[in-house]
Structures are given as structure tokens and as C-alpha cells.
Amino acid sequence: MSRFRRWVAGIAVAFALPVAANFAMSKLVDSKRVSHLLTARLESSFGRPVQVGRYRFSFWSGPQVEADSVTVGEDPRFGHEYFLRAGQLGARLSLGSLLLGRVNFSSFSLSDASLNIVTVHGRWNLAGWLPPAPSAGRGGKAAAARLYRIEVDNGRINFKRGTVKLPFALVDVNGSVDETAPGQWSLSLEAQPLRAAVTLQDAGTLQLTGQVGGTSTRLRPARLFFRWQDASISDVLRLFFGYDYGIRGRQDLSLQTSSTGERWQFKLDARDSGLHRWDLAARQGNPGLSVLLAGSWLPGEGKLTLARGDIEGPSTSIALAGGLNWPVAASNQGQNPPPSPQFHLHLSTAGIGAEDLLSWYRSFHHAIPASMRAAGWLQGSADIDGWPPRLHEVSISALGLSAKGGALAAPVRLRAANLQASGRKVTVSLSGLDFGPRLGQFNIAGRARRQGRWDYRVEAAGDSRQVGDLMAAVEALGVRAPAYWSQFSGGAKIKIDWTGTIPFSRQTVLAKVDLRNAVWQEPSLPARVRLNSARIDASSDRLRFDIGSADALGASWHGWLERPRPSGAWRFSLAANELDARAVVARLRPQAQHPNLLERIFGFGHAAGLPPLWPASLDATGTMQVKRLQLAPLALDGLTGQVAIHHGSLELSPARARFYGGHAGGAFFFSVDNGVPVWRLESRLNGVNLAKLSRAFAESKTRFSGLAAGSLRISARGVTARSLLDSLEGQAGIQVLGARDRSFDWLATLEAGHAVSGGSAFERCSAQVRLKAGKLTVEDLSAVSRRGRVEATGGIDLAGGGTLAIEARFFPATGYGRPGSQLDARTYDVTGKAVDPLIRFLPSAEKLKPSTPSR
């Protein structure tokens, strides 16, 4: 054999022997006898029963025994669930014990392990796990059995209180526990926090380092350092409370604890930064807090003492001191419920800066610019006692609070503020809340009393000469006011009363606003409403406007509007003295680049994309009264009507008025069909004096006389004059008794073919008129006089400039004033324009078929 072959063979043997030995040892340790021995050694190390799926042996990492599917049972005092479960456990053998013919372990390595930490009556199941320090009398045998190291890879730690598993857990646990001296163990662990059923995205990293003693001294002495680095504050809150409170920011937390006996000393340092509301962008000025707590904890007695506590901000300093005692039930107490915990906390302030308060306020409210500044301080103290904790004694006062800059036209100052709480009673007072000489000054007082829940009442009262500017200042402070308040100018006396409970399961707001010499301006309209005197009463279930005197649309108004509940229909009753339609149209004519009133009200036309003046879902019913409605040159007196608005439609029905010695009644309807307005008018007239009516057109001369009655029904679609004319249609019927025209002799005019002055008298007249497609059709016109009867049919083309096409027949009267026969009738053709008609007599051959004479 060559030298090269001998060299290769040696290498092969060198590799084969360990592999063969490893295989043989694996078979040996997995044998029943040896596995029982190994399991017994594991039980001795853990102090608990152990179950193992199978064993393997490894020279490469050891020598080491590897166990799969390991379950360590729990001490019956702490429940019946497993204490530790691991996918794989590596137990390194002690070489010294092997040389002496014994099997002992020097270290453990746990992979994919799950550990349950349980506390029962102040005792922990961990206290019996780590092996104790060797006794001096036990010699080398005990020393050889010592465990020096425990390593954890990708572990999980669950927490239980008795038999109840808590929702908290630590996952991805990595690190080690090393014995640095007999009975002294060094910890170095890192983990991620978890809460069941809650998704955490950025919960930071938990680190635990320090030293603890063995189980014989119940893990004492101990010195531990816990750190929670760079955690999202929203995840921290979700972790502890299971709910996202809408707060964003970062948190770093460190906790130092130490103990040599039963008492644990602790020091907690928490730093929060960049706090802001979830829907506001993070910025450099977002506030932060530093919290330092130091004290002691006696878990066996259930006593925690806070010797020192500090809450610090840029201009804030709050000191805390107190304690918590909770009863630790003994195992033999049976089912008797333990007494309640006792809690006490005292807070005192060296000062809370207004600039810090503004920074917090800005980070949780919209529209508070960085240019706004605040000055002043809050000082006071508070005592919190009992369980659940309750405010016992609180006293807080404000000194020189003010805000300026930003959108504030003038500085806002608070002269004095105080909060006092004692037992079940709380009082708050803010006096001299000054917005400046133009905007007014207010006082606020509140009180609360605890009867199961906290019942509270807050009252605010003040006076302002410019209520619109006051609302702008209030909004500049981040309090959103109803939009219509910014459209007011003028003075107001305001009183607001809040009552409710804490938590806010019930709240009632009563507001009374007395307006004087105020002006309301709707932005899209040039018309203004001047409120000489008006009152607004608002509550959680009622809103009412009482108008003593208001000027709008050229008239003086009074009345009221009321909504019984937020989702209910409006009710109203409004009255005006004299309303001129021409003035209304002039005042409602839209400004440049603004929609007209109807488009603003109902949201159609080119303004469909703009918000309507009232919602399309508005429901309102009420009465409208106008002492005199001027429709130049006509007028209606004592107009009254019922008005109903429902989902964008409007109805005025019934409506009644006095009309020139007679009466007028009817209904008006408006709706929107596929974005197009639809109009409909129904009217009835009775006993109208034509002499009075004619004087409305020509005051110096009375041309017509008689008594008229009739009915009218018309409808149209659109808003422009052209669209209305094209779609206008309807019908009318009219009857007149004792009709006279003192300007023309109409019968002579027909015969002459041109206008003949004089007079005409008809005992009775009637006509039916239809309107459709721009044409006015006259049907069955009949006028009876002592000289005969006139009948006419035909039409007027309104779209064609008023072109006439009318055929008139005249039946001369015979004896005793009776109309003549059909054979005596004369037929006339009336053509031309309505402003200049042409009348032509038709020969006999051109006459139409005879019609039945009127009786």
C-alpha cells in the first residue's frame, strides 16, 4: 500500500470511529434502561416530573444528550398544566461526573420552548426550579451535580394567576441563565411582548439582565434590570388595555429592582416622546413626558410603597408619593372573599406650564397653529384614595393664563380659575375669560357630585358685541362651532348649561342666546337678515328660534322655528308685514360667480356640486302669514298658508288671501325631478271687484268693472325664462258678472274692423283657456249684452310673438234683448299681433258651420 493510500485510510478511520461511536451512544441512550436514568436526572434537575419523546447522543456539541418533545410537569400547588414544554432540549454532560461513572448535566439548551410562570397567593412556581447552592457538608458529590448554564432559543413565556391564564405573553425569547458563583445566577434574556387577540406592529424589544439567587434563598439576593426600548405608545396601550386609544408616539422604559430578603426595591424610569393624535401628523413640537418612580414592594404582604415620584415636562413638574396595600389570601382561607385593596396617592405640583398644556392641546386638536403661544401656570395638589381609586382632596388654581397669536385677532386671557374636590363633591370656576373688548367676557362655573356615578353641571354665561368674531376666536382655540355662527355679526348674550354623568352615558346641553342688532349673511346671497331681537334655545332634544323682530327681503318679520329632536321635522310660524316681490327678487339675485337661491336651496343646475342651503332630506311644516304681498301692480292682503317641505319638495297648501274685494285661494307645489325643478300652481278667485283691480294698473282711471270668479291650473319645468315658457301648460276658467269696459265699444270695433271708443257692457262673460306648447287656446268664450252675444274660439302663439288666430261671432239681439238666431250671426277673423290686431269680416261663404247659440 502506498503512502498516500495509508494516509487516506487513516483519515477515513479517524472520521468513521466518532460517527460509529455517536451512533452507538445514540442507540444506547435511547434504550429503555438508559432513557429511564436520563429522565430521572432531568427530573432531579427540574424538581418536577419529566416526559421525553426520544433521546439522541452527540459528540459534536458536547458530549451532549439531546431530547425531543420534552414536557416538564407542574408542581401541583401551581396547577396541573405543564411547567415547561420544549421541542428540543440539549443537556450537556459533565465530563467530571462521566470520569467518576455518574451521569450529571452541566448545562441545558432549550429550543422552541414554552414556559408557564404562575403565581398563587404570592408564591411563584419559578422559586423551585434553579438548583440550590451546594452545601458545605455535601462535598464533591453535590458539586459535581451542579447545573451551570441554561440557554433559550425562540422561546415563549406565558403568565398565569392561579388557574387563570393572562392575555399577556413574551415570544421570541432568546438568551441565557448562567451560574456565576455557587447559588448565584446571571440572566440575559431578550423577548417581544404579545397580547392575545390584539395585533401589535411595533411593540419594541424587552431586555432582562441581572443576577438572582438559587431556590434555597427564593431567588435572593437579586438585582435585575429590565428595559423596554423604542416601543410605539399605541402598541403599549393595546398591550395593557386591549384597545387603541388613538394616541401615537414612542416610549422607552427601564426598571431596576433589587432584593436581599422579602422586600424588593424598585426604580422605574419611563420616557414618552412625540405624543399626538392618530389623525394628526407627527411634528417636532409634539409633547413628551418623563416619569420617575422609586419605592419598595413586599409581595408576601401585598404592599407597595411609592417613596418618590416625579413627572417632568419642559415646563412641568409634578411630585407623587403614596402606596398600595392589597390582601394576600392564605391557602386555608376557604371561599371567604378577601378585603378590598387600599390605595393612596398624593400629587403636588411645583407648576404646570401653560405652554406645555398648549403643546398637548395642539397635538390632539386640529387647527392650532405653531404660531400660537401661551403663558401662565397651574398649581395645586391632589389626594387619591380607596379602591377603585377616587379623588379625595383636590385643589388646583390657575395663574395668569393667556393665549395669543395664531388665528386669534386679540389675546385671550383668563383672570382666575379654581378646581376644588372633596369626597363626593367637585366645584370648578373660571372667571374673567376675556376675549377682548369686542368679543366679550365670560364666566364658567361647574360642580359635580358622586352618587354611584359622577353627576355634573357646568354653566357658562357672557356677553359679546361681535358673536361671529367670537366664534372665530373659539375655533382658533380648537373648539369647533356650528358653521352658521361665523355668518353672524352683532351682539349676543349667551348662557350655556351642561348636565350629565361621567362616564358620558348621558349628557344634556341647554343653550340660550339672545341676539340683538345682529346680522346674518348667507355667503351665496346678497340678501341679509337683520335680527333686531331674537332668541335661540337649544338642548339635546330641542332647537327653537324665537324671532321678535327681524328685517329680511324688504319686510319686517316675527315668529318662531322649532325642531323637537335632532332627527325630527322642523315646525315654524312666520309672519311679515309687507312683502314686495320685486324687492325679494332684487335681494335674492345671486352675486357674481354664485348660484341663485333655488340652486342653493335644492342643489340643481350648475350649482349641483355645491352644498344646498338646506339638506334635501329636510322635513319642515308650518304656517306663513304676509299682511300684504305686493306683486306689482297687483297685491294680496292677509295672505296665509300652510307650508310643507319634504325631501326637497315644497308645498304651499292651502293658501288664502283677500284680493280686490274678493277672495283668492289655492296651492303651490315645487319638486325636483332628476335634477330639474317642477312647478305647479292651482288658484281660485271669487268676488273680485274689477273696478278695484283696474285701478291697480291705472290709478287715475277706472276702465273695467264687474265681479269676477274663476280658477287657474298651470305647471312648468326648469328655471330659465326659455325653459319655463317652453314647458308651460295649464288651463283656466273665468266668469264675470256685470262686466264693463269704459274705453272701447267692442261690438262696434268688430263691425268697424278698428278700435272704436265708447263703452261696452256685458251682463255675463265666461271663457275657458288652455295653455300648451307655447300656445294659448281660447275655448267657449261667451259675452252676453243687450245688443247681442259674442262667441270666440282660437289661439295666441306666445312663442311667435303673440300672433293671433281667433274667430269671433256676433249674434245681434232681437226683441227684449234676446240674442238673434244663428242665421243672423256675423263672423269676424281676428289676426295680427296681440299688440296690434287686425279684424276682418268674413262673407257668408267663408262662415263656419253654425254652432248652438248660448242661452
Side-chain angles (χ1 to χ4, degrees), residues 158-181:
N158 305 306
F159 297 92
K160 295 176 62 179
R161 183 182 294 115
T163 59
V164 179
K165 181 171 288 188
L166 303 182
F168 309 103
L170 299 177
V171 296
D172 197 18
V173 180
N174 295 282
S176 63
V177 179
D178 295 281
E179 187 181 40
T180 57

PDB file of all heavy atoms in Angstrom, residues 158-181:
ATOM      1  N   ASN A 158     -45.531  32.278  29.105  1.00  0.00           N
ATOM      2  CA  ASN A 158     -46.921  32.594  29.414  1.00  0.00           C
ATOM      3  C   ASN A 158     -47.046  32.933  30.895  1.00  0.00           C
ATOM      4  O   ASN A 158     -46.252  32.471  31.723  1.00  0.00           O
ATOM      5  CB  ASN A 158     -47.836  31.419  29.068  1.00  0.00           C
ATOM      6  CG  ASN A 158     -47.680  30.983  27.627  1.00  0.00           C
ATOM      7  OD1 ASN A 158     -47.803  31.777  26.704  1.00  0.00           O
ATOM      8  ND2 ASN A 158     -47.407  29.689  27.439  1.00  0.00           N
ATOM      9  N   PHE A 159     -48.086  33.700  31.232  1.00  0.00           N
ATOM     10  CA  PHE A 159     -48.271  34.127  32.621  1.00  0.00           C
ATOM     11  C   PHE A 159     -49.658  33.703  33.086  1.00  0.00           C
ATOM     12  O   PHE A 159     -50.652  33.837  32.360  1.00  0.00           O
ATOM     13  CB  PHE A 159     -48.118  35.645  32.743  1.00  0.00           C
ATOM     14  CG  PHE A 159     -46.749  36.142  32.376  1.00  0.00           C
ATOM     15  CD1 PHE A 159     -46.465  36.543  31.069  1.00  0.00           C
ATOM     16  CD2 PHE A 159     -45.745  36.202  33.318  1.00  0.00           C
ATOM     17  CE1 PHE A 159     -45.208  36.993  30.717  1.00  0.00           C
ATOM     18  CE2 PHE A 159     -44.475  36.651  32.983  1.00  0.00           C
ATOM     19  CZ  PHE A 159     -44.213  37.047  31.680  1.00  0.00           C
ATOM     20  N   LYS A 160     -49.707  33.188  34.327  1.00  0.00           N
ATOM     21  CA  LYS A 160     -50.967  32.737  34.908  1.00  0.00           C
ATOM     22  C   LYS A 160     -51.087  33.266  36.326  1.00  0.00           C
ATOM     23  O   LYS A 160     -50.094  33.393  37.049  1.00  0.00           O
ATOM     24  CB  LYS A 160     -51.039  31.205  34.908  1.00  0.00           C
ATOM     25  CG  LYS A 160     -51.068  30.570  33.526  1.00  0.00           C
ATOM     26  CD  LYS A 160     -51.049  29.045  33.624  1.00  0.00           C
ATOM     27  CE  LYS A 160     -52.255  28.510  34.346  1.00  0.00           C
ATOM     28  NZ  LYS A 160     -52.247  27.026  34.413  1.00  0.00           N
ATOM     29  N   ARG A 161     -52.327  33.567  36.705  1.00  0.00           N
ATOM     30  CA  ARG A 161     -52.630  33.907  38.094  1.00  0.00           C
ATOM     31  C   ARG A 161     -53.543  32.810  38.606  1.00  0.00           C
ATOM     32  O   ARG A 161     -54.735  32.783  38.299  1.00  0.00           O
ATOM     33  CB  ARG A 161     -53.287  35.274  38.199  1.00  0.00           C
ATOM     34  CG  ARG A 161     -53.551  35.699  39.657  1.00  0.00           C
ATOM     35  CD  ARG A 161     -54.240  37.044  39.754  1.00  0.00           C
ATOM     36  NE  ARG A 161     -53.385  38.108  39.275  1.00  0.00           N
ATOM     37  CZ  ARG A 161     -53.650  38.847  38.204  1.00  0.00           C
ATOM     38  NH1 ARG A 161     -54.744  38.616  37.505  1.00  0.00           N
ATOM     39  NH2 ARG A 161     -52.842  39.811  37.831  1.00  0.00           N
ATOM     40  N   GLY A 162     -52.961  31.868  39.361  1.00  0.00           N
ATOM     41  CA  GLY A 162     -53.710  30.684  39.756  1.00  0.00           C
ATOM     42  C   GLY A 162     -53.979  29.840  38.521  1.00  0.00           C
ATOM     43  O   GLY A 162     -53.067  29.457  37.780  1.00  0.00           O
ATOM     44  N   THR A 163     -55.250  29.549  38.286  1.00  0.00           N
ATOM     45  CA  THR A 163     -55.629  28.758  37.115  1.00  0.00           C
ATOM     46  C   THR A 163     -56.020  29.628  35.922  1.00  0.00           C
ATOM     47  O   THR A 163     -56.355  29.089  34.861  1.00  0.00           O
ATOM     48  CB  THR A 163     -56.811  27.841  37.466  1.00  0.00           C
ATOM     49  OG1 THR A 163     -57.920  28.646  37.910  1.00  0.00           O
ATOM     50  CG2 THR A 163     -56.424  26.860  38.563  1.00  0.00           C
ATOM     51  N   VAL A 164     -55.985  30.950  36.094  1.00  0.00           N
ATOM     52  CA  VAL A 164     -56.414  31.866  35.031  1.00  0.00           C
ATOM     53  C   VAL A 164     -55.196  32.296  34.211  1.00  0.00           C
ATOM     54  O   VAL A 164     -54.246  32.874  34.758  1.00  0.00           O
ATOM     55  CB  VAL A 164     -57.120  33.109  35.618  1.00  0.00           C
ATOM     56  CG1 VAL A 164     -57.524  34.060  34.499  1.00  0.00           C
ATOM     57  CG2 VAL A 164     -58.333  32.682  36.434  1.00  0.00           C
ATOM     58  N   LYS A 165     -55.236  32.005  32.930  1.00  0.00           N
ATOM     59  CA  LYS A 165     -54.139  32.422  32.060  1.00  0.00           C
ATOM     60  C   LYS A 165     -54.353  33.868  31.635  1.00  0.00           C
ATOM     61  O   LYS A 165     -55.409  34.226  31.115  1.00  0.00           O
ATOM     62  CB  LYS A 165     -54.055  31.515  30.830  1.00  0.00           C
ATOM     63  CG  LYS A 165     -52.918  31.881  29.885  1.00  0.00           C
ATOM     64  CD  LYS A 165     -52.715  30.845  28.786  1.00  0.00           C
ATOM     65  CE  LYS A 165     -52.093  29.573  29.346  1.00  0.00           C
ATOM     66  NZ  LYS A 165     -51.705  28.618  28.276  1.00  0.00           N
ATOM     67  N   LEU A 166     -53.348  34.689  31.837  1.00  0.00           N
ATOM     68  CA  LEU A 166     -53.434  36.090  31.463  1.00  0.00           C
ATOM     69  C   LEU A 166     -53.240  36.248  29.960  1.00  0.00           C
ATOM     70  O   LEU A 166     -52.600  35.405  29.316  1.00  0.00           O
ATOM     71  CB  LEU A 166     -52.374  36.897  32.221  1.00  0.00           C
ATOM     72  CG  LEU A 166     -52.438  36.804  33.754  1.00  0.00           C
ATOM     73  CD1 LEU A 166     -51.364  37.676  34.383  1.00  0.00           C
ATOM     74  CD2 LEU A 166     -53.811  37.208  34.264  1.00  0.00           C
ATOM     75  N   PRO A 167     -53.784  37.328  29.367  1.00  0.00           N
ATOM     76  CA  PRO A 167     -53.654  37.501  27.909  1.00  0.00           C
ATOM     77  C   PRO A 167     -52.259  37.913  27.471  1.00  0.00           C
ATOM     78  O   PRO A 167     -51.990  37.995  26.282  1.00  0.00           O
ATOM     79  CB  PRO A 167     -54.674  38.596  27.593  1.00  0.00           C
ATOM     80  CG  PRO A 167     -54.796  39.373  28.860  1.00  0.00           C
ATOM     81  CD  PRO A 167     -54.621  38.377  29.970  1.00  0.00           C
ATOM     82  N   PHE A 168     -51.367  38.189  28.426  1.00  0.00           N
ATOM     83  CA  PHE A 168     -50.030  38.648  28.079  1.00  0.00           C
ATOM     84  C   PHE A 168     -49.075  37.467  27.908  1.00  0.00           C
ATOM     85  O   PHE A 168     -49.209  36.443  28.578  1.00  0.00           O
ATOM     86  CB  PHE A 168     -49.473  39.584  29.162  1.00  0.00           C
ATOM     87  CG  PHE A 168     -50.423  40.686  29.524  1.00  0.00           C
ATOM     88  CD1 PHE A 168     -51.152  40.629  30.697  1.00  0.00           C
ATOM     89  CD2 PHE A 168     -50.591  41.780  28.696  1.00  0.00           C
ATOM     90  CE1 PHE A 168     -52.034  41.639  31.041  1.00  0.00           C
ATOM     91  CE2 PHE A 168     -51.464  42.780  29.024  1.00  0.00           C
ATOM     92  CZ  PHE A 168     -52.195  42.716  30.188  1.00  0.00           C
ATOM     93  N   ALA A 169     -48.087  37.645  27.058  1.00  0.00           N
ATOM     94  CA  ALA A 169     -47.068  36.616  26.851  1.00  0.00           C
ATOM     95  C   ALA A 169     -45.825  37.286  26.276  1.00  0.00           C
ATOM     96  O   ALA A 169     -45.880  38.409  25.767  1.00  0.00           O
ATOM     97  CB  ALA A 169     -47.564  35.514  25.924  1.00  0.00           C
ATOM     98  N   LEU A 170     -44.695  36.578  26.383  1.00  0.00           N
ATOM     99  CA  LEU A 170     -43.448  37.000  25.755  1.00  0.00           C
ATOM    100  C   LEU A 170     -43.080  35.951  24.717  1.00  0.00           C
ATOM    101  O   LEU A 170     -43.075  34.748  25.011  1.00  0.00           O
ATOM    102  CB  LEU A 170     -42.328  37.132  26.808  1.00  0.00           C
ATOM    103  CG  LEU A 170     -42.556  38.146  27.926  1.00  0.00           C
ATOM    104  CD1 LEU A 170     -41.393  38.112  28.914  1.00  0.00           C
ATOM    105  CD2 LEU A 170     -42.732  39.551  27.372  1.00  0.00           C
ATOM    106  N   VAL A 171     -42.780  36.412  23.507  1.00  0.00           N
ATOM    107  CA  VAL A 171     -42.433  35.488  22.429  1.00  0.00           C
ATOM    108  C   VAL A 171     -41.049  35.843  21.906  1.00  0.00           C
ATOM    109  O   VAL A 171     -40.500  36.911  22.219  1.00  0.00           O
ATOM    110  CB  VAL A 171     -43.480  35.545  21.300  1.00  0.00           C
ATOM    111  CG1 VAL A 171     -44.835  35.069  21.798  1.00  0.00           C
ATOM    112  CG2 VAL A 171     -43.594  36.954  20.720  1.00  0.00           C
ATOM    113  N   ASP A 172     -40.512  34.926  21.097  1.00  0.00           N
ATOM    114  CA  ASP A 172     -39.175  35.090  20.533  1.00  0.00           C
ATOM    115  C   ASP A 172     -38.156  35.355  21.648  1.00  0.00           C
ATOM    116  O   ASP A 172     -37.324  36.275  21.567  1.00  0.00           O
ATOM    117  CB  ASP A 172     -39.164  36.227  19.500  1.00  0.00           C
ATOM    118  CG  ASP A 172     -37.927  36.160  18.605  1.00  0.00           C
ATOM    119  OD1 ASP A 172     -37.296  35.094  18.555  1.00  0.00           O
ATOM    120  OD2 ASP A 172     -37.590  37.194  17.983  1.00  0.00           O
ATOM    121  N   VAL A 173     -38.265  34.560  22.714  1.00  0.00           N
ATOM    122  CA  VAL A 173     -37.368  34.709  23.860  1.00  0.00           C
ATOM    123  C   VAL A 173     -36.027  34.068  23.518  1.00  0.00           C
ATOM    124  O   VAL A 173     -35.970  32.901  23.110  1.00  0.00           O
ATOM    125  CB  VAL A 173     -37.983  34.068  25.116  1.00  0.00           C
ATOM    126  CG1 VAL A 173     -37.043  34.229  26.303  1.00  0.00           C
ATOM    127  CG2 VAL A 173     -39.344  34.674  25.417  1.00  0.00           C
ATOM    128  N   ASN A 174     -34.965  34.831  23.688  1.00  0.00           N
ATOM    129  CA  ASN A 174     -33.609  34.343  23.430  1.00  0.00           C
ATOM    130  C   ASN A 174     -32.700  34.831  24.554  1.00  0.00           C
ATOM    131  O   ASN A 174     -32.882  35.929  25.088  1.00  0.00           O
ATOM    132  CB  ASN A 174     -33.080  34.850  22.086  1.00  0.00           C
ATOM    133  CG  ASN A 174     -33.859  34.311  20.908  1.00  0.00           C
ATOM    134  OD1 ASN A 174     -33.673  33.183  20.496  1.00  0.00           O
ATOM    135  ND2 ASN A 174     -34.763  35.141  20.366  1.00  0.00           N
ATOM    136  N   GLY A 175     -31.702  33.992  24.903  1.00  0.00           N
ATOM    137  CA  GLY A 175     -30.755  34.410  25.919  1.00  0.00           C
ATOM    138  C   GLY A 175     -30.271  33.238  26.737  1.00  0.00           C
ATOM    139  O   GLY A 175     -30.388  32.067  26.331  1.00  0.00           O
ATOM    140  N   SER A 176     -29.741  33.566  27.921  1.00  0.00           N
ATOM    141  CA  SER A 176     -29.152  32.510  28.753  1.00  0.00           C
ATOM    142  C   SER A 176     -29.265  32.867  30.214  1.00  0.00           C
ATOM    143  O   SER A 176     -29.424  34.042  30.588  1.00  0.00           O
ATOM    144  CB  SER A 176     -27.679  32.302  28.384  1.00  0.00           C
ATOM    145  OG  SER A 176     -26.931  33.473  28.661  1.00  0.00           O
ATOM    146  N   VAL A 177     -29.189  31.824  31.054  1.00  0.00           N
ATOM    147  CA  VAL A 177     -29.110  31.937  32.508  1.00  0.00           C
ATOM    148  C   VAL A 177     -27.844  31.192  32.919  1.00  0.00           C
ATOM    149  O   VAL A 177     -27.728  29.979  32.682  1.00  0.00           O
ATOM    150  CB  VAL A 177     -30.358  31.341  33.188  1.00  0.00           C
ATOM    151  CG1 VAL A 177     -30.232  31.465  34.704  1.00  0.00           C
ATOM    152  CG2 VAL A 177     -31.629  32.017  32.682  1.00  0.00           C
ATOM    153  N   ASP A 178     -26.865  31.925  33.501  1.00  0.00           N
ATOM    154  CA  ASP A 178     -25.559  31.339  33.827  1.00  0.00           C
ATOM    155  C   ASP A 178     -25.289  31.435  35.321  1.00  0.00           C
ATOM    156  O   ASP A 178     -25.607  32.455  35.966  1.00  0.00           O
ATOM    157  CB  ASP A 178     -24.453  32.075  33.073  1.00  0.00           C
ATOM    158  CG  ASP A 178     -24.566  31.904  31.570  1.00  0.00           C
ATOM    159  OD1 ASP A 178     -24.164  30.860  31.071  1.00  0.00           O
ATOM    160  OD2 ASP A 178     -25.090  32.847  30.906  1.00  0.00           O
ATOM    161  N   GLU A 179     -24.677  30.382  35.853  1.00  0.00           N
ATOM    162  CA  GLU A 179     -24.254  30.414  37.243  1.00  0.00           C
ATOM    163  C   GLU A 179     -22.873  31.073  37.305  1.00  0.00           C
ATOM    164  O   GLU A 179     -21.898  30.579  36.754  1.00  0.00           O
ATOM    165  CB  GLU A 179     -24.205  29.010  37.825  1.00  0.00           C
ATOM    166  CG  GLU A 179     -23.926  29.027  39.328  1.00  0.00           C
ATOM    167  CD  GLU A 179     -23.851  27.632  39.902  1.00  0.00           C
ATOM    168  OE1 GLU A 179     -23.268  26.757  39.232  1.00  0.00           O
ATOM    169  OE2 GLU A 179     -24.372  27.419  41.009  1.00  0.00           O
ATOM    170  N   THR A 180     -22.835  32.214  37.985  1.00  0.00           N
ATOM    171  CA  THR A 180     -21.574  32.935  38.115  1.00  0.00           C
ATOM    172  C   THR A 180     -20.832  32.574  39.395  1.00  0.00           C
ATOM    173  O   THR A 180     -19.628  32.784  39.503  1.00  0.00           O
ATOM    174  CB  THR A 180     -21.844  34.445  38.087  1.00  0.00           C
ATOM    175  OG1 THR A 180     -22.763  34.776  39.123  1.00  0.00           O
ATOM    176  CG2 THR A 180     -22.419  34.854  36.738  1.00  0.00           C
ATOM    177  N   ALA A 181     -21.558  32.069  40.358  1.00  0.00           N
ATOM    178  CA  ALA A 181     -20.980  31.618  41.632  1.00  0.00           C
ATOM    179  C   ALA A 181     -21.971  30.641  42.226  1.00  0.00           C
ATOM    180  O   ALA A 181     -23.138  30.611  41.813  1.00  0.00           O
ATOM    181  CB  ALA A 181     -20.737  32.814  42.573  1.00  0.00           C
TER     182      ALA A 181
END
